[in-house]
Amino acid sequence: MQESKLWTKDFLAVSLTSFFVFVIFYMLTVTLPLFATDELHASKQSLGLIVTIFLVSGIVFRPLAGKWMTTLGQKKVLLIGVFIFLIGSILYMNVHSLSALLLLRVLHGIGFGMSTTATGAIVANVIPEQRKGEGMGYYATFMNLAMVVGPFVGLTLTNTLSHTAVFTVAVVSSVLAVLCSLVLRVPEVQASSVTNEIQPAKGLAAFFEYRSLPISVAGLVVAFSYASVISFVSIYAKEMGFTQASSFFFVVYAVCLLASRPFTGKWFDQYGENSVVYPSILSLAIGIFLLSQATTSWVFLLAGALIGLGFGTITSSFQSIAVKKASPHRRGVATATFFVFFDSGMGLGSFLLGILSTAAGYKGMYVFCSIVALLAIAVYLVLHGRKSQKQRIISQNESLGK
């Protein structure tokens, strides 16, 4: 069997699909607030809605996508999602009011929710079981690279050309996502044989994987704190006079993340998730706090390094845990469950932190979010970390014959 092979054509295809979708997500997340203020004359309080509405529509459709994958099949749901996402990307060219922008964000969020739920479920089945942590880590690296490429390209184009150039890149990336989805081969076992052998889940269980809920709640807290970065760092940098450094914030983010990726995935598989998660959350918290204290570009970029190292590792680790908790035929639902909570944290954070930044300023907002990130350590410990440690001790004792 070829199951031990990780870098297959299908693994690359699904990872690249995810990459192109997330490039657009992160590019628009950091540039649309600038577009809204520069072109649509939107108020500061309304900027958080640009992210929140997008994520809310994705949240609504994630559980539906998870359920549809068990009936329609994973690839069909993926193709529907990326085509909706492509249509949304094209329509940005014709936005001339804040209300039109918010309405379009609803449509774009639907495509995002469906496509990313499908890719997360597909990759979980493509990766060999014995290399799950490593494989999910590399898959997450594509998303993490998108966190860098998207904001860097978006802010560079915004500062040197125009918002239209940003929307053009969004369309091109959407087309590439569609092409990668088309060449992807997915064995649709969930849609046929499994449903004949296993009683279909009913009620809320058809939409949510209960065993993945604890880690998903921890993900919500982490995402809430990170929303302060992805939603407001471009505005904060402009306010602080770090306009040039803002383009490189996510480049530094990526360099630190990529330098750690060969190690963190293997540590996850060899030493358990706790060995990776605790230092990653701490790195995120310190990075966000440094952001609040930045008075020079180098401190601003150092914050980006620590945030990238922490958040990038957390997302892949948490998603791996959520998938491992579910049985194979429920991986699509588990992926949807995780991202429903994760996106809820991001959307809620974008909205509430937009209000907080008006009252306390961006520095005060970032101090608050660093505290929230530290709180995530306690949430993870209570909901998953203690149980994981006990299970690891039991497994080690059994392997030693005790």
Side-chain angles (χ1 to χ4, degrees):
M1 295 181 67
Q2 298 290 324
E3 288 188 348
S4 61
K5 187 176 180 181
L6 175 60
W7 293 97
T8 62
K9 179 181 73 69
D10 293 329
F11 178 74
L12 285 172
V14 69
S15 297
L16 285 172
T17 300
S18 176
F19 170 78
F20 289 121
V21 169
F22 274 98
V23 159
I24 300 167
F25 169 67
Y26 287 111
M27 180 174 65
L28 295 180
T29 298
V30 299
T31 58
L32 282 180
L34 296 173
F35 171 73
T37 54
D38 295 342
E39 303 294 332
L40 307 180
H41 310 293
S43 64
K44 187 177 180 180
Q45 293 91 330
S46 65
L47 296 182
L49 287 174
I50 296 173
V51 176
T52 301
I53 288 180
F54 177 91
L55 293 175
V56 166
S57 64
I59 289 166
V60 171
F61 273 80
R62 281 194 186 281
L64 295 173
K67 185 176 187 297
W68 290 337
M69 279 189 285
T70 64
T71 54
L72 296 176
Q74 294 175 342
K75 185 168 182 176
K76 288 181 181 178
V77 173
L78 173 60
L79 288 174
I80 293 171
V82 292
F83 272 109
I84 293 174
F85 201 69
L86 171 59
I87 293 170
S89 298
I90 294 172
L91 292 176
Y92 281 104
M93 299 284 191
N94 298 312
V95 170
H96 302 292
S97 68
L98 180 61
S99 58
L101 176 61
L102 295 178
L103 185 61
L104 176 55
R105 294 294 280 170
V106 173
L107 175 67
H108 216 204
I110 292 171
F112 177 78
M114 292 182 64
S115 58
T116 54
T117 299
T119 54
I122 291 169
V123 77
N125 291 320
V126 169
I127 298 171
E129 289 296 326
Q130 65 272 28
R131 301 182 69 178
K132 191 69 69 182
E134 181 185 5
M136 291 300 290
Y138 282 117
Y139 169 73
T141 299
F142 283 86
M143 290 190 290
N144 299 142
L145 283 174
M147 292 181 191
V148 181
V149 174
F152 178 76
V153 171
L155 291 173
T156 300
L157 291 176
T158 298
N159 294 331
T160 59
L161 295 176
S162 66
H163 295 292
T164 301
V166 174
F167 300 147
T168 301
V169 172
V171 173
V172 173
S173 296
S174 294
V175 171
L176 291 174
V178 170
L179 294 177
C180 290
S181 300
L182 289 172
V183 302
L184 175 63
R185 294 180 303 172
V186 183
E188 300 292 1
V189 293
Q190 289 85 355
S192 54
S193 59
V194 172
T195 54
N196 292 329
E197 297 170 7
I198 300 175
Q199 186 69 25
K202 297 180 180 180
L204 287 176
F207 300 95
F208 294 97
E209 175 55 59
Y210 294 142
R211 287 175 289 185
S212 300
L213 284 177
I215 196 63
S216 299
V217 172
L220 182 150
V221 179
V222 169
F224 183 98
S225 64
Y226 183 73
S228 64
V229 179
I230 195 63
S231 298
F232 303 105
V233 73
S234 59
I235 302 292
Y236 176 61
K238 186 176 181 179
E239 183 180 276
M240 295 295 295
F242 302 146
T243 304
Q244 289 297 112
S246 66
S247 297
F248 293 94
F249 179 88
F250 290 97
V251 173
V252 176
Y253 178 118
V255 169
C256 293
L257 173 63
L258 292 176
S260 69
R261 182 58 70 206
F263 310 104
T264 53
K266 291 182 179 180
W267 288 344
F268 183 97
D269 290 328
Q270 294 177 4
Y271 305 113
E273 47 259 40
N274 289 354
S275 66
V276 173
V277 170
Y278 288 128
S280 297
I281 299 178
L282 183 60
S283 178
L284 174 65
I286 295 173
I288 295 177
F289 180 76
L290 276 182
L291 203 57
S292 73
Q293 303 301 305
T295 55
T296 61
S297 295
W298 76 266
V299 175
F300 180 76
L301 294 177
L302 177 61
L306 291 172
I307 291 169
L309 180 62
F311 184 75
T313 304
I314 293 167
T315 51
S316 62
S317 299
F318 279 18
Q319 190 176 353
S320 296
I321 295 168
V323 169
K324 284 170 61 178
K325 288 291 183 180
S327 54
H329 76 286
R330 295 275 295 174
R331 284 172 177 166
V333 181
T335 301
T337 300
F338 173 74
F339 277 112
V340 162
F341 280 80
F342 190 84
D343 289 351
S344 295
M346 193 83 75
L348 190 63
S350 296
F351 176 69
L352 294 180
L353 295 175
I355 298 173
L356 178 61
S357 66
T358 303
Y362 289 116
K363 286 183 176 292
M365 178 194 70
Y366 283 123
V367 170
F368 172 76
C369 287
S370 67
I371 297 173
V372 173
L374 287 175
L375 178 63
I377 296 178
V379 174
Y380 173 82
L381 172 66
V382 172
L383 296 181
H384 181 79
R386 290 188 300 184
K387 184 181 295 185
S388 174
Q389 183 63 26
K390 288 179 181 179
Q391 291 175 341
R392 184 161 186 81
I393 292 173
I394 293 173
S395 298
Q396 288 175 340
N397 290 338
E398 290 177 349
S399 65
L400 293 173
K402 295 182 180 179

